[in-house]
Amino acid sequence: MTKIFSYAKKYKSKVYVSIVLATLGVFAGMIPYYLVYRIIMAFTGASLPSVKWSLLMSVLILLCLVMRSTLYFSALTASHEAAFDILLGLRQSIAEKMIKMPIGEIQKRKHGEYKSTIVDLIDDMELILAHIIPEGISNALVPILVILYLFVIDYRMAILALINIPIGMFIYSKAMKKAAVKLPQQIHAFQSMNATMVEFINGIKVIKIFNQTTSSFQKYTASVKNYKKFVLDWYKESWRHMALLDVLVPCTVLFVLPFGTFFYVQGSLSLSNFLLCVLLSIGLGTPVNKLSEFTRSFRFAMEKSKQIELLLKSEELEDKGNTLIPKSNDIEFENICFAYEKKEVLSNVTFTVEANTVTALVGVSGSGKSTIVKLLLRFWDIKSGSINIGGINIKDMAFDTLMGQISYVSQDIYLFNTTIIDNIRMGNPDATDEEVINAARLAQCHEFIMALEDGYQTLTGDTGKKLSGGQKQRISIARAILKDAPIILLDEATTFTDPENEDKIQESLNGLIGGKTLIVIAHRLSTIVGANQILLMDKGKIVARGTHEFLLECSELYDSMWKAHTEAMEWDVTIRRKADVQDYKPVV
């Protein structure tokens, strides 16, 4: 919770104001009980009070009640302003944290868990910041002052007014006996349900295609039922104690009234003191009840805050913030070893990419090709070896400097749910509309964009769902062209290529890579035959390197891959020819 409260420092003035206003509001709510005491005592005196005096007391009671409500809402206004500013800061901090975290660390959690933390758990912090802090402190402070006043009047009555509090604490401890174990389990069950819901929504196409309903999609159904069962079982265990707690704690006259009557009859307590103690005890009921509610909520909120703090304390990529800038675009991988968790992916990988040349990475799936590219992007940090650009270790560069040197076009294309022009402009936020359109022309996507109803102002939809795979690919290339970085990384960038778009995507790539240092991962070997060097990967190692012609002669593995590739191309042509024959219908 200390991490959460650290975000309140900037807004402490509003927090302090809310506490003062809330305390004055609770105190104003206690005054009518004292005024009622004065009215009762006036009617028990030798002479009856005047109508004017009674009217004055009524007006004072009304003013106190109005003041209580006004101060209460003013306090909540100040506390909510501070709370939502703090929640905004928390969400921004988590977003910034995730940018600094290694991708591997991010992938340890499911998407639904992030949604649960960033949306639900942080929303729950509003209860602490906007209510528990101002209302909790005020509803604790005023009763303490009233109890002290009761001790001045009669210590016995003060003790009687306090007795139900330790009784309530005992009942609460019984109800929350298993909370230390149950609370983390409840949060985990909730996050698991969230994660499964996100997975269900993302996979809804597959579920529909294979005729899976919510009842037959076992993972979804099981997570919802598990959360429901867990919560209901815990409530069944504790509801009796909680109901008893809600009855006893606010009943502050439970012992004051009978024992006070006994003291009065016995003659050791005056009528005026007896009535004052009873009325003030009744007045304590509301703040004590609220304090009891906040105590329970605080326990839950504290446990949830641990999940937020856990994310905020996650491992970060080291950023030394140096101003070192590479003087050339040479890239050196020296004795790189890397493992995901305990599984080794790369072993003693060493190679050099000269500036303004093309290096291709080929190999079977899982050989480590994409990992090499992602290590250059610092998606992860290597444990041994070094990666240098222009003779400077990438760990010694500021992260912004490194990202400024590299454009990355991935097989996993992501477009934001905004306009096409804004999606392209993410490559260079300062680019003019003319520069964006020029990049789109080079990426061979201007023509299809202009054919859309709203042109460049067309919304792409969630993850670009309104566009085809080839169209999204070309927009991602336009984004990289606009960035104009000296180093280009292509991770199977022709994945979504179809016969209609293949030439256009190849042209767009030519517009991107001219005069750049290029590392390309390609599953179509025919696209990289002209590379300056080809690195053949197998089981995390470079098993051969050289030009296309050299590898055909010297590497059996590369030769077999090339033959498989050419046979696949011939098979594709055969299928197409058969389709053409089947579609042909002679005119009679």
Side-chain angles (χ1 to χ4, degrees):
M1 201 65 204
T2 53
K3 188 70 175 177
I4 308 298
F5 283 137
S6 68
Y7 288 89
K9 291 179 181 178
K10 187 177 178 181
Y11 311 100
K12 61 182 179 182
S13 58
K14 288 183 180 179
V15 175
Y16 292 154
V17 167
S18 68
I19 292 171
V20 171
L21 292 175
T23 302
L24 292 175
V26 176
F27 185 74
M30 291 295 301
I31 294 176
Y33 292 97
Y34 177 78
L35 294 178
V36 169
Y37 156 74
R38 292 290 303 276
I39 293 171
I40 293 174
M41 294 310 299
F43 277 94
T44 59
S47 58
L48 294 176
S50 64
V51 174
K52 183 178 179 181
W53 184 87
S54 298
L55 183 60
L56 175 63
M57 297 302 286
S58 299
V59 171
L60 286 175
I61 291 173
L62 178 62
L63 287 175
C64 287
L65 295 176
V66 171
M67 187 183 299
R68 180 191 66 180
S69 297
T70 303
L71 290 168
Y72 174 75
F73 286 112
S74 298
L76 288 189
T77 299
S79 66
H80 276 82
E81 287 178 358
F84 287 119
D85 284 336
I86 294 165
L87 298 188
L88 172 62
L90 274 172
R91 289 190 169 107
Q92 288 177 333
S93 296
I94 288 178
E96 292 168 2
K97 181 72 178 185
M98 291 179 70
I99 290 173
K100 297 175 182 177
M101 290 166 60
I103 294 296
E105 185 70 19
I106 292 175
Q107 291 176 342
K108 288 179 181 178
R109 298 178 176 89
K110 297 178 181 178
H111 291 173
E113 291 183 32
Y114 286 108
K115 178 266 176 187
S116 174
T117 301
I118 296 171
V119 178
D120 303 318
L121 297 188
I122 288 183
D123 268 349
D124 290 339
M125 294 304 101
E126 183 263 345
L127 178 65
I128 292 180
L129 300 167
H131 294 277
I132 292 180
I133 291 178
E135 292 187 73
I137 292 175
S138 60
N139 283 300
L141 186 59
V142 172
I144 289 172
L145 295 175
V146 171
I147 292 293
L148 291 174
Y149 182 57
L150 288 177
F151 269 104
V152 173
I153 298 171
D154 191 297
Y155 75 92
R156 297 171 300 175
M157 299 298 281
I159 293 172
L160 290 170
L162 284 171
I163 288 179
N164 64 328
I165 294 178
I167 293 175
M169 291 174 64
F170 174 75
I171 297 171
Y172 178 72
S173 66
K174 284 285 191 181
M176 303 298 288
K177 181 172 60 175
K178 299 179 180 178
V181 176
K182 293 276 190 179
L183 275 175
Q185 291 177 349
Q186 181 182 352
I187 294 172
H188 176 73
F190 179 73
Q191 289 184 320
S192 176
M193 181 177 67
N194 262 313
T196 310
M197 285 181 177
V198 171
E199 183 183 14
F200 176 77
I201 294 168
N202 288 338
I204 194 69
K205 289 182 180 179
V206 177
I207 293 167
K208 290 172 73 69
I209 288 169
F210 289 97
N211 198 29
Q212 298 286 305
T213 62
T214 53
S215 59
S216 59
F217 187 52
Q218 294 298 322
K219 193 174 180 181
Y220 173 85
T221 308
S223 68
V224 176
K225 287 183 176 179
N226 178 59
Y227 182 70
K228 171 189 171 184
K229 183 178 184 302
F230 183 90
V231 173
L232 288 179
D233 287 348
W234 193 12
Y235 282 175
K236 287 176 183 178
E237 286 180 19
S238 59
W239 76 266
R240 291 182 181 85
H241 294 99
M242 300 309 291
L244 187 59
L245 185 68
D246 288 337
V247 171
L248 287 179
V249 170
C251 190
T252 47
V253 293
L254 182 64
F255 298 99
V256 169
L257 189 58
F259 284 97
T261 303
F262 173 75
F263 295 146
Y264 170 68
V265 172
Q266 190 185 40
S268 59
L269 182 66
S270 66
L271 178 62
S272 61
N273 286 345
F274 171 54
L275 291 174
L276 180 58
C277 289
V278 169
L279 288 170
L280 289 178
S281 296
I282 293 172
L284 286 174
T286 299
V288 169
N289 186 45
K290 281 195 173 184
L291 189 60
S292 172
E293 291 176 3
F294 287 145
T295 300
R296 283 175 273 169
S297 301
F298 187 72
R299 181 76 179 270
F300 282 85
M302 282 288 287
E303 191 62 43
K304 292 174 181 178
S305 74
K306 291 179 183 178
Q307 302 299 318
I308 301 173
E309 290 191 29
L310 195 64
L311 181 54
L312 289 170
K313 291 177 180 177
S314 297
E315 175 190 351
E316 292 183 8
L317 289 170
E318 184 182 8
D319 188 352
K320 296 180 180 179
N322 293 333
T323 57
L324 299 172
I325 298 176
K327 294 181 180 179
S328 71
N329 301 321
D330 295 334
I331 303 170
E332 297 174 317
F333 279 70
E334 297 180 2
N335 299 317
I336 301 300
C337 295
F338 180 74
Y340 294 121
E341 300 296 336
K342 296 180 180 179
K343 182 182 179 182
E344 187 177 69
V345 180
L346 298 177
S347 176
N348 294 317
V349 172
T350 299
F351 66 92
T352 299
V353 178
E354 294 183 4
N356 305 324
T357 63
V358 178
T359 294
L361 302 175
V362 300
V364 298
S365 179
S367 59
K369 307 183 300 294
S370 293
T371 302
I372 287 177
V373 168
K374 290 173 181 176
L375 289 179
L376 181 57
L377 290 162
R378 288 197 73 189
F379 282 7
W380 295 271
D381 268 342
I382 54 177
K383 302 305 179 184
S384 64
S386 65
I387 303 174
N388 305 315
I389 297 177
I392 300 174
N393 193 315
I394 61 173
K395 288 186 178 181
D396 294 330
M397 294 183 199
F399 193 73
D400 290 345
T401 301
L402 176 63
M403 291 299 100
Q405 297 293 308
I406 301 173
S407 285
Y408 177 50
V409 181
S410 169
Q411 58 183 314
D412 301 319
I413 305 157
Y414 190 89
L415 299 183
F416 292 90
N417 187 16
T418 183
T419 61
I420 289 177
I421 196 167
D422 284 340
N423 266 291
I424 298 175
R425 187 177 274 118
M426 287 177 183
N428 180 3
D430 298 324
T432 64
D433 287 355
E434 185 179 348
E435 289 171 329
V436 172
I437 293 172
N438 185 51
R441 290 183 190 277
L442 290 173
Q444 303 298 309
C445 53
H446 177 74
E447 185 178 338
F448 87 75
I449 292 173
M450 294 307 296
L452 298 172
E453 184 177 353
D454 296 318
Y456 281 87
Q457 298 303 318
T458 301
L459 293 173
T460 61
D462 291 333
T463 68
K465 65 182 179 183
K466 293 183 180 179
L467 304 176
S468 71
Q471 289 172 334
K472 289 192 291 184
Q473 189 75 70
R474 280 180 276 163
I475 286 176
S476 70
I477 293 171
R479 185 189 288 170
I481 290 174
L482 190 63
K483 185 175 182 180
D484 196 28
I487 297 172
I488 308 295
L489 307 179
L490 301 179
D491 188 354
E492 297 192 3
T494 56
T495 299
F496 295 106
T497 302
D498 51 48
E500 182 181 352
N501 288 317
E502 185 169 6
D503 291 341
K504 291 182 179 179
I505 289 180
Q506 193 59 53
E507 285 183 38
S508 68
L509 288 174
N510 291 337
L512 170 65
I513 66 180
K516 309 289 186 182
T517 301
L518 178 66
I519 297 178
V520 56
I521 299 171
H523 63 284
R524 296 189 180 188
L525 297 184
S526 56
T527 63
I528 50 91
V529 293
N532 299 95
Q533 68 170 336
I534 299 171
L535 306 179
L536 178 60
M537 303 287 300
D538 187 33
K539 298 179 180 179
K541 296 181 180 180
I542 298 175
V543 294
R545 69 184 77 199
T547 62
H548 171 69
E549 293 77 11
F550 176 82
L551 291 177
L552 282 177
E553 293 180 7
C554 302
S555 173
E556 291 183 8
L557 176 58
Y558 187 83
D559 183 61
S560 65
M561 290 172 61
W562 176 253
K563 288 178 179 177
H565 172 67
T566 54
E567 287 173 4
M569 291 178 66
E570 291 173 1
W571 179 79
D572 182 52
V573 171
T574 303
I575 293 297
R576 290 181 187 281
R577 286 176 177 169
K578 286 183 177 180
D580 291 340
V581 171
Q582 289 170 356
D583 291 339
Y584 175 70
K585 294 180 180 179
V587 179
V588 179

